[in-house]
Amino acid sequence: MYTTHSMNQYKTFIFDSYAFDKAKRTISLVYKLDDAVTFTETITLPADLHIQDHPDLDSALFALHLMGGISYYKTCLPKAIDIRSGSLSEKQTSFWNDVYENGLGEFFYRNDIDFRGLIHFPSTGNKPTINKSESKKDGNKRVLIPIGGGKDSLVTTELLKKGGSDCTLLRIGQHQLIDTMANEAQLPLLNVKRALAPELFTLNADGALNGHVPITGYIHFLSVIIGLLGGYGYVAFSNEESAEEGNVEFHGKQINHQWSKSLAFEQMFQAYVADCVTKDVTCFSMLRTLSELKIAELFCEHRQYLPLATSCNRNWQILSKDPNRPRWCGDCPKCAFAFALFAAFLPKNDLEGVFNGNLFEDESLLPLYRELLGVTGHKPFECVGTPEETAAAFVMAHNRGELEDTAAMKMFLDDVMPEIIEPDEIIGEAMLQRPKHAIPDQFLPLLKNL
């Protein structure tokens, strides 16, 4: 058994080793605390992934090893970091210091940890583990689309399908709802299995530090490996413009629950991969120029997905055991926010059918809606949009005229609407495409005239 006291005694977090077993289709990532506790994470690649050799695979595995360590490092935040699986230049250490500090921002905030000067990836001074091969992309237009079950990745899927891209869906873990969505989209689906080291759960049960990690960053690095092994030139994520906005300020830093979904992360990730991993796989967000509200409008145009998608993380695990349960829990920030978005575009009957009820009628959600609208508190630690987007959604729902007697709409009309001088302008601004993005040129025409 590990006690909190003993965990405080660990001095060094060790990136021990990584391995790829082609025959077993597994990747092993090994970490240690002071050579006393060993963590082995195992990733199993899909049986239907046609694996091909690639000269940049080792660089990609090393990068994933460094990214994956964040789940184990956070258990006790040792002061020293030892990298036995490779070496880093000073430029690389700066990247990983930023990824760990920003990616663990919410974790630091919730655990009240002063992170300043805490993380120091070592520069060995030796030749860094870095990619040197020439690009072999040569017009490779095959695209992987990571899909999580929500509206965003389905909008990306339909945009790329319409543009004629050769698309394959990618899911970490298996889920019946994802299978159903892939069938509806008529696209192949790759399921990657990730097994965290069991020792992690033992430490957590015994009082180790725990909290949010930048899982989207992990999926970025894993997607590069899948891209190299499967011959995909691009990985199209579905992160929107508002993911850039943080939640709270803590020790002088903006803490952003969605940091690894932000443009800032995407741009530094693209540069790191191109310089240090491979030039044969490019990861980008297809929806970066769009707001959550615009994405919701595009999603609602594809009515076939309305009964299938869910953005509710709380009900996701329950659904995996009982697929007949409602897909939305009805009381979390994502449910409340998604209901407001969909209320802007769907008739009342359709809206209530999607959410198995009317969330605007639930008075217990009023404090949450006030946070989402920026009236009180701070933006919830969830993947939700800005207060301006939420307000625009309420205005559009108000204009539809079907939800006027609900508690949430009455609150909005009393507390927020009087402060909005030009309702049409706030809608127009929320629906406007933003200029900043990292989308490859060949995909930009798909966003015109939306």
Side-chain angles (χ1 to χ4, degrees):
M1 297 289 286
Y2 311 103
T3 65
T4 303
H5 173 74
S6 65
M7 284 186 286
N8 290 337
Q9 306 309 307
Y10 293 122
K11 304 297 184 184
T12 305
F13 183 76
I14 302 165
F15 292 87
D16 186 74
S17 61
Y18 59 86
F20 173 52
D21 188 322
K22 185 175 181 180
K24 295 182 178 179
R25 311 176 76 84
T26 59
I27 298 169
S28 299
L29 309 174
V30 183
Y31 311 94
K32 293 182 178 180
L33 292 170
D34 285 353
D35 283 314
V37 180
T38 300
F39 307 97
T40 300
E41 178 171 316
T42 304
I43 299 151
T44 304
L45 302 179
D48 50 350
L49 177 67
H50 179 66
I51 294 178
Q52 58 188 37
D53 295 328
H54 196 287
D56 297 336
L57 178 60
D58 190 66
S59 295
L61 290 169
F62 177 52
L64 179 65
H65 189 220
L66 296 176
M67 186 71 235
I70 201 166
S71 294
Y72 308 96
Y73 166 80
K74 78 178 192 310
T75 57
C76 50
L77 304 174
K79 292 184 178 180
I81 293 175
D82 181 11
I83 302 175
R84 298 175 182 173
S85 57
S87 55
L88 298 175
S89 67
E90 289 188 8
K91 185 177 180 180
Q92 286 175 295
T93 64
S94 177
F95 171 84
W96 288 109
N97 288 340
D98 285 347
V99 167
Y100 270 53
E101 183 174 294
N102 288 289
L104 289 174
E106 180 181 339
F107 164 83
F108 291 135
Y109 173 78
R110 290 183 179 273
N111 287 285
D112 195 21
I113 295 169
D114 189 346
F115 54 83
R116 293 171 293 184
L118 178 64
I119 300 166
H120 298 283
F121 274 78
S123 173
T124 61
N126 299 324
K127 181 180 178 181
T129 303
I130 190 167
N131 163 59
K132 291 292 185 182
S133 70
E134 295 296 324
S135 174
K136 297 182 180 181
K137 186 176 285 189
D138 293 334
N140 181 355
K141 297 182 179 180
R142 300 180 69 211
V143 184
L144 278 175
I145 305 174
I147 183 169
K151 69 184 189 310
D152 299 351
S153 54
L154 290 170
V155 170
T156 290
T157 298
E158 290 300 320
L159 283 172
L160 291 171
K161 281 174 57 182
K162 185 177 181 181
S165 295
D166 181 357
C167 301
T168 298
L169 304 179
L170 174 65
R171 167 67 184 163
I172 312 303
Q174 291 183 299
H175 201 291
Q176 182 178 330
L177 282 184
I178 298 292
D179 295 338
T180 304
M181 292 175 196
N183 289 335
E184 184 65 42
Q186 298 182 325
L187 290 175
L189 172 66
L190 296 175
N191 282 295
V192 179
K193 297 178 182 178
R194 181 193 185 196
L196 291 162
E199 291 82 5
L200 176 63
F201 303 104
T202 302
L203 262 67
N204 287 340
D206 291 338
L209 294 169
N210 200 4
H212 176 77
V213 297
I215 185 60
T216 303
Y218 179 96
I219 296 172
H220 271 71
F221 282 100
L222 180 55
S223 297
V224 171
I225 293 174
I226 305 300
L228 291 177
L229 291 175
Y232 296 91
Y234 298 92
V235 182
F237 284 84
S238 306
N239 304 318
E240 71 288 338
E241 185 268 341
S242 59
E244 196 76 8
E245 183 184 74
N247 300 83
V248 296
E249 184 172 317
F250 183 57
H251 290 303
K253 180 185 287 290
Q254 273 294 313
I255 304 302
N256 185 358
H257 171 82
Q258 300 187 83
W259 181 78
S260 63
K261 292 185 175 183
S262 69
L263 179 60
F265 171 79
E266 183 174 324
Q267 289 176 323
M268 62 188 285
F269 172 85
Q270 285 184 348
Y272 185 88
V273 169
D275 291 342
C276 305
V277 181
T278 186
K279 293 180 173 64
D280 284 349
V281 180
T282 300
C283 296
F284 67 99
S285 173
M286 188 67 216
L287 307 183
R288 183 64 67 191
T289 65
L290 307 179
S291 70
E292 286 270 24
L293 190 61
K294 183 63 181 181
I295 294 168
E297 180 188 42
L298 295 174
F299 175 77
C300 289
E301 292 174 359
H302 299 285
R303 310 278 294 193
Q304 71 272 27
Y305 293 124
L306 286 177
L308 305 179
T310 178
S311 298
C312 176
N313 295 326
R314 191 173 297 177
N315 256 24
W316 190 254
Q317 294 299 324
I318 299 173
L319 279 169
S320 65
K321 300 173 184 177
D322 181 6
N324 295 317
R325 286 181 63 94
R327 289 167 294 111
W328 305 84
C329 75
D331 58 14
C332 73
K334 293 198 75 170
C335 283
F337 179 64
F339 187 91
L341 292 181
F342 288 8
F345 305 105
L346 294 178
K348 180 180 178 181
N349 288 342
D350 292 344
L351 181 67
E352 293 178 345
V354 170
F355 289 88
N356 198 37
N358 193 324
L359 273 59
F360 275 9
E361 293 177 344
D362 187 346
E363 294 188 4
S364 70
L365 293 179
L366 292 181
L368 185 50
Y369 276 118
R370 289 190 177 96
E371 288 182 352
L372 288 167
L373 288 161
V375 175
T376 58
H378 59 76
K379 181 181 174 182
F381 282 112
E382 259 294 1
C383 296
V384 296
T386 65
E388 291 79 12
E389 287 176 291
T390 307
F394 266 88
V395 172
M396 294 177 73
H398 167 59
N399 291 342
R400 296 185 68 89
E402 294 186 287
L403 302 171
E404 299 301 277
D405 293 332
T406 61
M409 184 59 74
K410 289 179 179 177
M411 177 274 294
F412 173 78
L413 294 176
D414 289 342
D415 299 345
V416 181
M417 191 69 169
E419 303 297 321
I420 300 176
I421 299 174
E422 296 288 346
D424 289 342
E425 284 189 11
I426 195 173
I427 295 172
E429 178 67 20
M431 299 294 277
L432 189 67
Q433 289 204 45
R434 302 305 195 264
K436 294 182 179 180
H437 63 82
I439 304 170
D441 290 344
Q442 61 266 42
F443 296 103
L444 288 175
L446 304 181
L447 297 170
K448 289 184 177 180
N449 303 318
L450 291 182

